[in-house]
Amino acid sequence: MTLYIGREASKLWKRICAETTTEINLLADSWKYILTGLIFQYIHGLAARGVHYLHRPGPTLQDVGFFLLPELGQDKSYISETVFTFVFLSFIVWTFHPFIFKSKKIYTVLIWCRVLAFLVASQFLRIITFYSTQLPGPNYHCREGSKLARLPHPESVIEVLLINFPRGMTHGCGDLIFSSHMIFTLVFVLTYQKYGTKRCIKQLGWLIAVVQSFLIIASRKHYTVDVTVAWYTVNLVVFFLDKKLPELPDRTGGASFLLPLSTKDKDSKTKEENHKLLNGNSVDPADWRQRTQVNGKILDDANLVHADATAMNGA
């Protein structure tokens, strides 16, 4: 038993090391995209912080979702954040599963390049939208009488740049249309829908996305329009970007991923293929059969040469 456990641990360690090497090579080629996506997350937070200075509390707008869903109250508003945190952490864990499990279909670096592209496009549209019109926030800390409803003018640039993380992210006002929580939730669910392997998890993901929508409205974090716009905007963004972005290599067949060849490697590969063609060999490895050249013609089988020679002697 001890020896068996030792062998399994050794295999797991080798798998982790091999996967780490592959991901580092991919990161060396894609770090600019990853870095750009992470920087834009900060820009998005900075924009949300900036619109809070413009927020003016007022009467809560008439909303059909507020009529249909009972208000959770401040003591239960954490339920929405708990569900979102579960979705966020679960997706991160899934993207790193190739380091542990044998049945791996994705590359962690490449999947995050794709996810960040979806997030950046959706968040860019969101920034334009909530800066176009500032609505009175329906959240508890955004209503008239709350100290957080209006932010005093910043005393320095540093105060703005720090964005009061993480409290500034969870207690913002004015960044309403459309919901940032739904952007992340829908991007994660759509990504797993395409690259995930468990059907039950896909169905659970969509169910959680619907429940999350209701919880956001019930906790009065957003108006119903914020959630509704997020549903069709994010789906459209993912639909169109998914067609423009290069498709990820599929690992289910067990084939190892080949990194892009350098110019030197491409030249050497081209020379090797030309050499094979000159010698009468096909470029396809499955068609590497011995060939014989007779009278300027290349024949696939030496027996054909013997038959032709016999026919010529009989003539």
Side-chain angles (χ1 to χ4, degrees):
M1 177 62 71
T2 305
L3 180 61
Y4 177 77
I5 295 176
R7 289 178 178 176
E8 289 300 317
S10 177
K11 292 179 181 179
L12 177 61
W13 175 247
K14 290 180 180 178
R15 189 181 307 125
I16 293 175
C17 292
E19 198 67 30
T20 302
T21 302
T22 302
E23 295 292 345
I24 289 176
N25 291 332
L26 290 173
L27 185 60
D29 290 337
S30 308
W31 67 270
K32 294 180 181 179
Y33 305 106
I34 298 290
L35 182 61
T36 302
L38 294 177
I39 291 176
F40 196 86
Q41 298 309 301
Y42 170 74
I43 295 174
H44 174 256
L46 194 64
R49 175 71 171 178
V51 79
H52 195 166
Y53 291 104
L54 303 177
H55 177 256
R56 295 296 178 265
T60 303
L61 302 180
Q62 184 174 346
D63 190 285
V64 65
F66 292 176
F67 285 112
L68 298 177
L69 297 175
E71 191 171 351
L72 290 178
Q74 286 183 286
D75 55 335
K76 296 181 180 179
S77 60
Y78 68 90
I79 298 177
S80 174
E81 290 295 332
T82 303
V83 173
F84 174 75
T85 303
F86 170 76
V87 173
F88 191 89
L89 295 179
S90 298
F91 183 80
I92 292 178
V93 171
W94 172 73
T95 59
F96 283 91
H97 83 274
F99 287 84
I100 305 297
F101 297 101
K102 294 180 181 179
S103 57
K104 42 199 175 185
K105 188 180 178 181
I106 62 169
Y107 292 92
T108 303
V109 170
L110 299 183
I111 204 73
W112 274 108
C113 285
R114 208 172 191 85
V115 167
L116 287 172
F118 298 151
L119 291 176
V120 168
S122 300
Q123 290 168 338
F124 179 76
L125 294 176
R126 180 175 187 259
I127 292 173
I128 295 176
T129 306
F130 66 63
Y131 265 104
S132 300
T133 303
Q134 290 85 46
L135 303 178
N139 211 334
Y140 310 106
H141 61 269
C142 299
R143 299 174 185 175
E144 191 70 54
S146 174
K147 295 181 180 180
L148 297 176
R150 294 171 179 259
L151 284 183
H153 292 290
E155 298 179 357
S156 63
V157 178
I158 300 298
E159 181 181 344
V160 179
L161 296 178
L162 290 179
I163 66 176
N164 193 21
F165 184 83
R167 184 174 177 81
M169 304 296 292
T170 58
H171 289 75
C173 298
D175 57 328
L176 294 175
I177 301 177
F178 42 97
S179 172
S180 178
H181 284 62
M182 289 308 301
I183 290 178
F184 281 91
T185 301
L186 290 173
V187 166
F188 292 164
V189 172
L190 288 168
T191 302
Y192 189 84
Q193 177 68 31
K194 182 173 183 179
Y195 298 105
T197 56
K198 304 295 184 181
R199 183 179 180 182
C200 59
I201 298 181
K202 294 179 182 180
Q203 295 172 344
L204 178 62
W206 285 112
L207 177 62
I208 292 177
V210 173
V211 172
Q212 175 77 4
S213 302
F214 291 136
L215 288 175
I216 289 175
I217 299 172
S219 60
R220 303 303 188 253
K221 295 179 183 295
H222 282 276
Y223 292 106
T224 305
V225 65
D226 304 339
V227 176
T228 304
V229 172
W231 267 93
Y232 62 74
T233 302
V234 176
N235 276 278
L236 288 174
V237 167
V238 173
F239 176 77
F240 285 108
L241 279 185
D242 191 59
K243 294 182 176 296
K244 298 295 183 180
L245 296 175
E247 189 52 71
L248 298 185
D250 192 353
R251 308 180 69 175
T252 53
S256 59
F257 178 73
L258 298 178
L259 294 176
L261 295 174
S262 63
T263 305
K264 183 178 180 181
D265 294 334
K266 289 180 179 178
D267 293 340
S268 61
K269 185 176 181 180
T270 303
K271 291 179 180 179
E272 182 180 357
E273 291 176 353
N274 292 336
H275 179 69
K276 292 175 182 177
L277 290 173
L278 289 175
N279 288 335
N281 292 331
S282 171
V283 177
D284 186 3
D287 195 29
W288 286 355
R289 300 186 299 271
Q290 184 176 1
R291 290 172 165 83
T292 306
Q293 185 172 354
V294 176
N295 295 333
K297 296 182 179 180
I298 298 175
L299 301 177
D300 290 341
D301 196 339
N303 293 330
L304 296 177
V305 178
H306 179 71
D308 289 345
T310 305
M312 292 175 63
N313 291 333

